[in-house]
Amino acid sequence: MNALTSAVWKREPQSALRIVDAHAHAGPYSLFFIPDAGRGGLMRVMDRCGVSHAVISSHLAIQLDAAEGNAQTAEIVGQAPDRFTGYLTVNPWQDPVGELDKWGNDPRFGGVKLHPDLHDYPLTGRRYAPVWEFAQRTGCPVLTHTYDGSPYNDLPMVDEVAARHPGVVILAGHAGATPLGFDAAIEVAQRRPGVVLEVCGSFNTGADIATMVREVGADRVVYGSDFPFIDLRMSLGRVIFSGLPEEDRAAVLGGTMTRLLQWRSGLG
Amino acid sequence: MLIDADAMLGRYPRRDVGEGTVTETLARMDRFGIAEAVVSHTLSWLHDPHTGNLRLLDLIEGEPRLRPCWVLLPDTCGETGTPAEFVSAAKAAGVGAVRAYPADHGYDLAGRDAASMLHALAEAELPLLFDAPQVGWPAIESIARTHPELSVVVGGLGYRTLRQAAGVLSRTANVHLGLANLSSHCGLEWLVERYGPHRVVFGTGAPVRDPAESVTRLLWSELDDQAVAAIGAGNLRSLLREEARVA
């Protein structure tokens, strides 16, 4: 037993590590009911488990309206900047340049979020060019949804944009999402040093996460939950009980993402 | 104490989850602090229920931490005997619960073909377990209302089905939810506040699902210790009609 599993068994929040959730959201969603999806509900679950920080994009931003949704993300982060950092959602159909110009220098945002599956637009498409230019210039990490077999964000498409933009950090959200996807995501990350695997989803397991760490290194795998889509404790438990060495688990749970969020301190 | 209502022995063809042996299963339970489990066999699910049900009994004979869960079929083709024969054999073998895969086995659990089997299960006080995608919510409600004495545990909710589940829970008293992949954000707390802790049963979905999910979800929930104990073991004990065993 270690400090993390011990905290679970004792039903006490963990305090051994600074845990950073690299893939989170906020707010309601039309397709299904989410209890308590606002900032208070998010923070209460984070406090219950001992999660220090979450990087969020509002559901409004990824689903319907990037402009209004990004403003909502900024507002939530502004109310608790020690607990949240924002992903700036870029919808290729909704003025990517305008959104990057408006929020690119705002310290409430620490990354860019792409959701090709929701926006019916391929990750390799030219409308994302301003995102890659911004990320290349600043060092801002880009989180993209990935899903094995998707026509919009399958792993070969991650491979292609990573090859085109080798200086950009690309977080492969869900790491392919399925067992086949995990294998493909590992292969892409092994080929492309800028690709980091983010592990939330419905089908991942601690064994899969341990394999990812073994194959690409703990500095290339980050914990995310996808909450409040999926309860934060699902993915968190997988990492905690994964059997990873403590140093690797600390990197996955927060160390690596903390480093990736420090790009602004290196600017100008 | 945790008792897993949703675990399985046997090999699995669609991803690497180990060999599904009794030894592996007990080691996994130990790793997650799970005292006992109600287990079925993948052979009953993905090959032949009758053969798998018998194989299960052989495998776990003399292992007090594992309680068998058989897989039912409607008696239209006589594959598992008449409902009376199936239930009688199950009770004689110490089977604690019965699982159904109507989508994968090609029948309608809420239709006339399975009705006599469900009636027999209710009379024998054997709870019925299945995953929601195998049945669908209108059929779940129909089954629960047609067989009000039958205890039903619905697993595999995911994070997208609270609207449907909540409606059925509101209109029935004999439908329970399994914790394996009950993954709506704060959904466990919301369900318990609305319907009480007696409507949720701990399960892991192992080995296909990682038990870390259910264990962490329950123990790090905002529920009090009493509710966690009920969900973790007490509710299943009640459904199995058994008193707490001496540890």
Side-chain angles (χ1 to χ4, degrees):
Chain A
M1 192 180 296
N2 56 60
L4 291 179
T5 54
S6 175
V8 175
W9 296 122
K10 290 180 181 172
R11 308 201 63 220
E12 296 172 352
Q14 76 81 30
S15 57
L17 292 178
R18 181 175 189 270
I19 296 178
V20 178
D21 187 336
H23 188 156
H25 300 284
Y29 200 72
S30 67
L31 271 62
F32 48 87
F33 170 62
I34 304 172
D36 223 348
R39 181 173 59 92
L42 302 182
M43 289 178 63
R44 215 177 54 246
V45 175
M46 292 164 68
D47 290 343
R48 178 70 188 88
C49 304
V51 173
S52 301
H53 205 84
V55 193
I56 64 170
S57 53
S58 74
H59 284 143
L60 181 59
I62 64 167
Q63 191 184 29
L64 174 66
D65 187 327
E68 191 175 339
N70 284 329
Q72 191 180 83
T73 301
E75 183 183 357
I76 294 169
V77 173
Q79 289 167 343
D82 57 330
R83 306 304 301 277
F84 299 111
T85 295
Y87 281 117
L88 175 63
T89 298
V90 173
N91 182 328
W93 304 109
Q94 294 180 340
D95 192 13
V97 173
E99 288 302 299
L100 285 162
D101 286 347
K102 182 176 181 182
W103 301 106
N105 291 323
D106 192 312
R108 288 174 291 186
F109 289 96
V112 169
K113 165 78 175 184
L114 308 179
H115 206 312
D117 264 347
L118 279 182
H119 300 150
D120 288 1
Y121 189 83
L123 183 65
T124 49
R126 62 194 297 177
R127 286 171 179 264
Y128 283 132
V131 171
W132 306 122
E133 187 280 325
F134 176 79
Q136 180 74 46
R137 176 165 49 83
T138 62
C140 175
V142 178
L143 169 66
T144 179
H145 182 81
T146 68
Y147 210 103
D148 173 58
S150 161
Y152 301 112
N153 42 224
D154 199 358
L155 280 307
M157 303 170 92
V158 177
D159 192 45
E160 185 177 330
V161 292
R164 277 193 226 156
H165 310 285
V168 175
V169 173
I170 302 173
L171 297 171
H174 310 299
T178 70
L180 272 181
F182 305 147
D183 279 358
I186 287 169
E187 289 177 25
V188 170
Q190 287 173 328
R191 270 196 301 275
R192 311 294 175 198
V195 172
V196 173
L197 306 180
E198 181 278 315
V199 299
C200 69
S202 292
F203 308 111
N204 216 323
T205 67
D208 294 318
I209 293 164
T211 300
M212 292 177 198
V213 170
R214 188 170 62 247
E215 295 289 335
V216 305
D219 60 337
R220 305 273 303 286
V221 180
V222 296
Y223 156 70
S225 72
D226 212 9
F227 91 131
F229 251 63
I230 301 173
D231 194 280
L232 174 147
R233 290 158 278 216
M234 303 291 282
S235 181
L236 183 58
R238 294 174 195 145
V239 182
I240 285 176
F241 286 95
S242 62
L244 283 170
E246 289 196 22
E247 190 176 338
D248 287 350
R249 195 170 47 187
V252 172
L253 283 174
T256 296
M257 195 59 197
T258 297
R259 173 172 54 79
L260 294 178
L261 290 173
Q262 289 170 346
W263 57 277
R264 282 194 190 278
S265 61
L267 293 178
Chain B
M1 172 183 278
L2 297 174
I3 309 177
D4 187 351
D6 188 355
M8 204 168 295
L9 298 177
R11 303 193 77 182
Y12 183 71
R14 295 172 189 145
R15 66 183 302 184
D16 179 7
V17 296
E19 295 298 314
T21 65
V22 170
T23 303
E24 279 181 359
T25 300
L26 293 173
R28 184 179 62 238
M29 289 163 63
D30 289 340
R31 191 165 151 250
F32 290 101
I34 296 169
E36 300 168 27
V38 176
V39 294
S40 50
H41 199 289
T42 54
L43 198 63
S44 300
W45 170 27
L46 296 169
H47 185 59
D48 174 46
H50 179 65
T51 308
N53 290 343
L54 296 180
R55 174 84 58 87
L56 175 67
L57 297 181
D58 287 341
L59 288 173
I60 67 174
E61 185 179 6
E63 179 42 67
R65 295 173 67 191
L66 302 179
R67 182 91 183 259
C69 176
W70 273 6
V71 172
L72 71 78
L73 287 173
D75 68 336
T76 46
C77 298
E79 296 163 279
T80 55
T82 66
E85 290 167 346
F86 178 82
V87 165
S88 172
K91 296 291 277 188
V95 168
V98 173
R99 188 167 279 279
Y101 298 95
D104 293 340
H105 291 166
Y107 65 90
D108 178 7
L109 190 65
R112 292 174 63 182
D113 290 342
S116 57
M117 181 64 80
L118 301 188
H119 179 71
L121 293 180
E123 284 210 318
E125 298 185 331
L126 282 168
L128 175 64
L129 285 58
F130 51 75
D131 283 353
Q134 289 281 330
V135 180
W137 291 100
I140 292 169
E141 181 167 4
S142 172
I143 290 164
R145 291 163 81 93
T146 305
H147 306 278
E149 305 304 318
L150 177 67
S151 295
V152 174
V153 182
V154 183
L157 262 68
Y159 59 94
R160 294 171 177 262
T161 59
L162 275 187
R163 284 182 186 137
Q164 298 98 307
V168 173
L169 287 176
S170 296
R171 295 186 293 271
T172 62
N174 53 335
V175 173
H176 306 72
L177 302 182
L179 191 60
N181 202 25
L182 200 167
S183 53
S184 291
H185 165 76
C186 293
L188 175 61
E189 289 83 352
W190 184 83
L191 287 163
V192 168
E193 183 178 357
R194 269 197 155 201
Y195 304 105
H198 65 288
R199 301 294 288 271
V200 185
V201 173
F202 176 76
T204 65
V208 178
R209 298 213 71 85
D210 186 340
E213 300 169 354
S214 292
V215 170
T216 308
R217 182 68 192 82
L218 180 63
L219 297 184
W220 261 351
S221 71
E222 297 174 88
L223 305 178
D224 62 32
D225 290 346
Q226 193 175 358
V228 168
I231 293 167
N235 296 341
L236 182 61
R237 292 262 192 243
S238 298
L239 292 177
L240 297 175
R241 305 294 202 272
E242 65 180 26
E243 299 301 321
R245 297 182 198 175
V246 177

